[in-house]
Amino acid sequence: MMRYDFGVGEKRDWLVGEDRFDDAHQGKGEAIFCQGNGYLGQRAALEESYAGQTRDLLVTGTFDRFDAGEVTELPNLPDLTNLQLHINGQRFAMADGNTENYRRVMDLQTGGLCRELIWTGRDGLRYQLRFERFVSMTREHVLGLRASITPLDGDAAVRAESGIDGRVTNTGAAHFHEGEKRIFDMRILRMISKTVQSEVTCCLSAAHRYTLNGADVSGRMLPIIDRRYMAMRGDFSVKQGQTLTIEKLCSVTTSRDQGYIGLADAAELAAQDGPEQLKAALALGYDALFEESAAAWRRIWDQADVRVASDHPFDQLLLRFALYHLNIMVKKDDSRVGIGAKGLTGEGYKGHSFWDTEIFILPYFVLTQPDTARTLLEYRYQGLPGARRKAWENGFEGAMYPWEAAWVDDGEVTPLWGAADVVTGKQIPILTGMIEQHITADVAFAVRLYQAVTGDMDFMRRCGYEIILDTARFWASRVTWDEGKNAYVICDVIGPDEYKEHVDNNAYTNYMADHNLRLALEAMDDLRKANDEACRRLDAQFDFSALRKKILNVRSKLYLPRPDENGIVAQFDGYMDLQHIDLTPYKQASVVGTIYNDYNNEQISSFQVHKQADTLVLMLLLEDLFDGDTKRKNYEFYESRTLHDSSLSKSTHCVLAADLNLTDTAYRFFEGCGGIDLGPNMGTSDMGVHTASMGGIWQCAVYGFGGVRVVGDQLHIAPRLPDAWQTLEFQLIWQGRKLRVTAARDKTRILNLGSKEVQIIVSGAHVVLPAGGVYDR
């Protein structure tokens, strides 16, 4: 059971906790309590082992393919968090004995995780136990844990065994060779192993310190090395009231790390890293390392926090929960890696990147951490060779981005087969990698958003214009001529709504493709005006005259679905002919996807039912193309037919509802976004948190209730708070100027913290704010 009230005063809005251990539902806590720093993610499986645990240590960029018939995935590295305790001869396990006063709490403000309990063993004696963990935000290769045991009713003989466990898999797939194991000075353990296919070398080190009432104690130590496993086992005598503390500090490095590129083999990596990195951490100690990391978190919060005064305290906590996960899901300085659909919190979707990044997550970074946004877009630039290869393999020109992306060299990595068909019993083919093509336009859209917000022309000349031009080439080659429509059409696609396959003229896809083509024309105009080296290089690569002619021809005749007599933009050709069924039981279900219990893909395709927002995402992204009346009619029509079976759906509906001044409805969708990972359903996060939902929660607050939008090259701010909120405060960076926005129901205050004036649109009025200036009305 989740609780959100372990703190008092201001601290209450920083703590997420659970007040009981549920061995049948461990995955939720493992994911939401995950700790990380963008380089590594340490899933919060408990130190002692239980059936049903998923003990993931995931390091960005270490992708591997287990077998030629499978796709690449982020491998689970050897486990560093195992700590097995035997107390008076009995193995400590909460399910074997009596557990009282249990609580596990994540402090979002510091990144620390703590578990406390009183355990009564078979000897009838009680023991106070405390477990703590952190992943360093300042030393990205370092993580640590600490355990304390205090006998309350008598003396205790304590055996502690802890080390590095390479007996891990990704749901059965073992990605590492056996590797090399060594113990230095009877204290530091090191395991070096290499992935099976990608040959990424991983070097893990761990060391322990034991204290009794704060004084170092050695105990009787035994080194253990076994197949894929190594550990130190210590035996200690602890008297009643004494506290035995075990500190474990660890380091992780790989041959794909930026600092280790080019090292030839495991021996060379070990020679450069060895135990030295860990020795530096040991010299500081657990407390100093944790405080150093907590200070880094405080600096992040000074810039990132979104503050809300609400009648419902959960609202503030939810926003901070989302911001916490947004700041541990991305390696902010490495353009070779993207963001997985589960970040580094679990094995779901194999660590692959989707359109989730560009449409749901990137806006947060563009408007608050533009350097990180640039890194993420440079990742897409480095993926251009794979996108070009995919286009060529499918008979098209230009760059056709993979639906699922992993390492920059991997190209398309979408699996070919999924779950079982409830009617036929056969495995369902996964078609998204072949025909869900809107991601190509989504990437171009994100590049243009970054350009508008930052004005970063260096990036555009190096990377951005090339992405836009090559994706436009794809769309110009992707269209086909339809004599009946007397127009170019885009056939056989999947739009954002993945309940509909093999559709023609998906409105989202067609409009976004047209937008991509328009951006290419603008890019060529910009380059011609600059007439610099970038212009000459790209003109030679694309032949501007020929490309312009082709794009103008396609755009002049591209079919763009228009509102019908009822104001509805059909999601795709023939949509209005589909059957409308009663969706009440599926909308009211406590878990997603229940419609698949009754129908298969083919049957669902014949109904007016949607997994998630589709046409409505279009009206959010390209909002200047549709008037308010059209948006309202489409919102009401499509929401009634949407099951919100995707974590991407509710945030879009929240923002649009706020745009339409349906603030009560918008607030319910905001609460719904919170329920995806922090709600009472204990199975929602087993495979990891929903990273797109984290970005969506920020969008609910800032785009929806803060009224922030980028239209063309202009920043719009038009707050409209829900009844439950008295104030909303957030920070943005616009054209290099930092803005602090504070919104109340009847007043908006904007402070320009930058050194130059800024021009914005506030509630429809053009405002010029000088450096240090304040808008307050």
Side-chain angles (χ1 to χ4, degrees):
M1 179 183 297
M2 302 309 302
R3 283 183 56 192
Y4 314 102
D5 57 353
F6 283 104
V8 294
E10 291 185 4
K11 201 63 177 177
R12 178 179 181 179
D13 298 330
W14 294 100
L15 304 181
V16 180
E18 62 183 12
D19 57 6
R20 68 182 179 91
F21 170 64
D22 183 354
D23 61 352
H25 298 100
Q26 298 179 67
K28 188 182 187 79
E30 291 171 355
I32 66 172
F33 296 142
C34 180
Q35 296 165 292
N37 53 28
Y39 168 73
L40 65 84
Q42 178 59 68
R43 191 169 161 100
L46 300 177
E47 288 76 7
E48 67 276 10
S49 59
Y50 297 93
Q53 282 182 330
T54 304
R55 305 184 73 91
D56 283 337
L57 171 60
L58 303 175
V59 173
T60 188
T62 56
F63 290 99
D64 182 65
R65 183 184 299 112
F66 170 71
D67 181 83
E70 299 188 8
V71 298
T72 187
E73 65 182 331
L74 206 58
N76 185 11
L77 270 65
D79 176 46
L80 294 167
T81 60
N82 61 89
L83 173 59
Q84 189 57 64
L85 300 173
H86 284 78
I87 305 176
N88 283 339
Q90 182 183 353
R91 174 182 171 272
F92 165 67
M94 290 184 291
D96 186 9
N98 183 53
T99 299
E100 301 174 277
N101 299 344
Y102 173 92
R103 74 174 196 165
R104 182 162 57 151
V105 179
M106 166 65 76
D107 186 339
L108 302 173
Q109 191 174 31
T110 65
L113 178 63
C114 179
R115 173 171 57 125
E116 296 179 308
L117 61 120
I118 294 176
W119 180 68
T120 304
R122 289 194 296 267
D123 58 8
L125 303 180
R126 296 175 303 137
Y127 306 93
Q128 175 78 50
L129 291 102
R130 178 182 175 92
F131 301 86
E132 301 165 86
R133 290 188 192 180
F134 75 95
V135 169
S136 177
M137 287 298 285
T138 53
R139 303 165 187 257
E140 64 181 17
H141 301 279
V142 174
L143 61 155
L145 62 87
R146 178 161 62 189
S148 300
I149 308 101
T150 304
L152 300 178
D153 301 322
D155 300 345
V158 178
R159 168 170 289 181
E161 182 171 315
S162 172
I164 306 173
D165 190 351
R167 301 169 299 187
V168 296
T169 69
N170 286 63
T171 57
H175 281 280
F176 288 91
H177 295 292
E178 169 71 11
E180 171 197 325
K181 299 176 284 292
R182 183 177 175 183
I183 299 176
F184 297 85
D185 303 325
M186 295 300 290
R187 186 185 186 194
I188 298 179
L189 294 78
R190 187 185 73 194
M191 180 181 289
I192 303 175
S193 50
K194 184 178 290 187
T195 57
V196 173
Q197 171 268 330
S198 58
E199 297 187 333
V200 177
T201 300
C202 298
C203 180
L204 289 82
S205 302
H208 301 83
R209 179 190 179 208
Y210 309 91
T211 62
L212 192 62
N213 282 0
D216 287 339
V217 60
S218 58
R220 185 166 61 87
M221 306 305 298
L222 177 68
I224 300 171
I225 293 182
D226 205 341
R227 186 179 185 184
R228 297 178 183 267
Y229 178 78
M230 62 190 308
M232 295 298 297
R233 178 186 295 164
D235 289 299
F236 305 89
S237 296
V238 186
K239 295 187 179 299
Q240 179 180 345
Q242 291 184 325
T243 298
L244 173 68
T245 300
I246 304 158
E247 294 181 358
K248 182 178 184 179
L249 295 178
C250 310
S251 68
V252 182
T253 54
T254 86
S255 57
R256 275 195 173 166
D257 298 350
Q258 290 166 306
Y260 299 92
I261 298 171
L263 297 184
D265 54 28
E268 196 173 349
L269 176 64
Q272 181 155 341
D273 174 65
E276 297 306 314
Q277 188 179 87
L278 184 57
K279 284 182 178 179
L282 290 169
L284 283 176
Y286 185 98
D287 286 325
L289 288 167
F290 175 71
E291 180 50 41
E292 178 185 82
S293 179
W297 268 112
R298 286 191 286 270
R299 291 191 294 271
I300 291 172
W301 287 113
D302 285 343
Q303 303 298 319
D305 200 11
V306 175
R307 298 182 178 91
V308 58
S310 173
D311 295 338
H312 305 129
F314 176 70
D315 295 347
Q316 178 66 83
L317 185 69
L318 172 59
L319 285 165
R320 287 175 173 156
F321 175 78
L323 292 166
Y324 167 83
H325 278 283
L326 283 165
N327 280 281
I328 68 170
M329 69 175 61
V330 57
K331 182 77 166 65
K332 298 180 180 182
D333 60 353
D334 191 344
S335 62
R336 303 168 303 158
V337 293
I339 297 175
K342 300 294 184 181
L344 298 170
T345 68
E347 300 169 22
Y349 295 105
K350 304 181 183 298
H352 296 169
S353 298
F354 294 73
W355 75 308
D356 306 26
T357 299
E358 281 71 33
I359 302 304
F360 297 92
I361 299 171
L362 193 78
Y364 164 73
F365 289 109
V366 170
L367 283 161
T368 64
Q369 299 177 36
D371 289 348
T372 301
R374 183 178 62 246
T375 296
L376 290 168
L377 291 171
E378 287 173 345
Y379 168 71
R380 290 301 192 184
Y381 179 74
Q382 294 204 55
L384 271 176
R388 289 167 179 149
R389 183 170 67 249
K390 181 178 178 181
W392 178 81
E393 290 171 350
N394 285 273
F396 304 120
E397 299 175 4
M400 178 185 183
Y401 271 98
W403 178 245
E404 297 186 28
W407 187 244
V408 286
D409 297 335
D410 288 341
E412 181 63 72
V413 291
T414 303
L416 296 177
W417 299 97
D421 186 310
V422 298
V423 175
T424 68
K426 296 179 180 180
Q427 198 170 10
I428 300 172
I430 298 175
L431 302 177
T432 52
M434 292 175 277
I435 61 175
E436 190 155 2
Q437 298 164 4
H438 61 80
I439 188 170
T440 298
D442 300 334
V443 172
F445 177 90
V447 169
R448 179 64 181 94
L449 175 66
Y450 174 81
Q451 179 189 12
V453 174
T454 68
D456 184 353
M457 297 310 298
D458 173 69
F459 167 80
M460 295 303 295
R461 292 186 180 97
R462 286 188 299 105
C463 310
Y465 285 137
E466 188 172 347
I467 292 173
I468 288 172
L469 293 169
D470 228 3
T471 51
R473 285 183 67 224
F474 163 73
W475 290 115
S477 70
R478 176 64 178 82
V479 298
T480 55
W481 183 254
D482 186 305
E483 289 290 348
K485 284 184 165 61
N486 192 34
Y488 285 112
V489 295
I490 302 175
C491 297
D492 194 23
V493 299
I494 298 174
D497 171 24
E498 293 170 358
Y499 281 175
K500 298 294 180 290
E501 300 174 342
H502 297 297
V503 303
D504 298 338
N505 295 311
N506 169 256
Y508 178 89
T509 302
N510 284 32
Y511 274 96
M512 291 294 285
D514 178 70
H515 180 69
N516 197 161
L517 294 168
R518 179 172 66 82
L519 293 180
L521 294 174
E522 294 175 354
M524 286 185 281
D525 288 342
D526 291 346
L527 286 163
R528 281 273 169 82
K529 289 176 184 177
N531 193 26
D532 56 8
E533 187 278 332
C535 175
R536 291 186 288 274
R537 172 176 60 87
L538 294 172
D539 194 1
Q541 180 177 347
F542 293 105
D543 185 353
F544 286 176
S545 295
L547 182 58
R548 177 182 295 277
K549 182 178 179 181
K550 188 170 187 177
I551 290 176
L552 287 172
N553 177 56
V554 171
R555 283 204 76 209
S556 68
K557 302 171 185 176
L558 180 61
Y559 178 67
L560 299 175
R562 305 295 182 185
D564 63 14
E565 63 278 7
N566 297 313
I568 307 302
V569 177
Q571 185 171 307
F572 52 82
D573 286 355
Y575 173 85
M576 293 302 180
D577 297 328
L578 301 182
Q579 182 182 357
H580 181 39
I581 65 171
D582 181 14
L583 300 177
T584 303
Y586 309 115
K587 275 182 166 283
Q588 294 178 347
S590 60
V591 296
V592 300
T594 54
I595 194 170
Y596 276 107
N597 296 338
D598 299 321
Y599 303 103
N600 65 7
N601 276 0
E602 183 178 352
Q603 293 168 319
I604 292 171
S605 293
S606 69
F607 302 145
Q608 289 184 356
V609 56
H610 313 291
K611 177 181 181 180
Q612 63 202 75
D614 190 305
T615 307
L616 296 185
V617 185
L618 165 66
M619 294 186 176
L620 176 58
L621 299 185
L622 302 181
E623 63 174 346
D624 52 329
L625 299 183
F626 305 95
D627 61 34
D629 185 59
T630 300
K631 289 180 188 177
R632 179 179 292 273
K633 288 176 178 177
N634 281 268
Y635 177 88
E636 293 172 350
F637 179 85
Y638 282 113
E639 198 288 318
S640 67
R641 292 160 171 78
T642 302
L643 297 181
H644 306 293
D645 281 351
S646 166
S647 63
L648 313 181
S649 189
K650 291 183 178 179
S651 61
T652 296
H653 284 79
C654 172
V655 176
L656 280 175
D659 286 354
L660 297 170
N661 291 315
L662 303 172
T663 52
D664 289 344
T665 300
Y667 183 72
R668 286 196 297 272
F669 276 119
F670 170 74
E671 291 181 306
C673 289
I676 293 170
D677 286 299
L678 286 183
N681 188 322
M682 295 301 292
T684 56
S685 308
D686 286 356
M687 299 302 289
V689 302
H690 300 77
T691 58
S693 181
M694 301 301 110
I697 289 167
W698 179 86
Q699 287 193 30
C700 288
V702 175
Y703 274 20
F705 303 128
V708 170
R709 210 63 47 82
V710 179
V711 181
D713 290 316
Q714 293 182 320
L715 174 65
H716 292 246
I717 303 175
R720 49 250 166 167
L721 302 188
D723 289 343
W725 290 10
Q726 290 78 53
T727 59
L728 167 66
E729 182 180 344
F730 54 89
Q731 296 188 108
L732 304 173
I733 297 178
W734 176 257
Q735 298 287 332
R737 289 80 156 172
K738 183 182 293 185
L739 306 177
R740 180 176 294 141
V741 181
T742 304
R745 288 199 184 90
D746 57 353
K747 180 180 288 191
T748 299
R749 187 177 191 271
I750 305 172
L751 172 61
N752 179 8
L753 297 170
S755 59
K756 297 180 181 179
E757 75 171 26
V758 64
Q759 300 185 36
I760 53 179
I761 309 295
V762 183
S763 299
H766 184 268
V767 173
V768 179
L769 271 181
V774 179
Y775 172 94
D776 194 358
R777 65 185 68 171

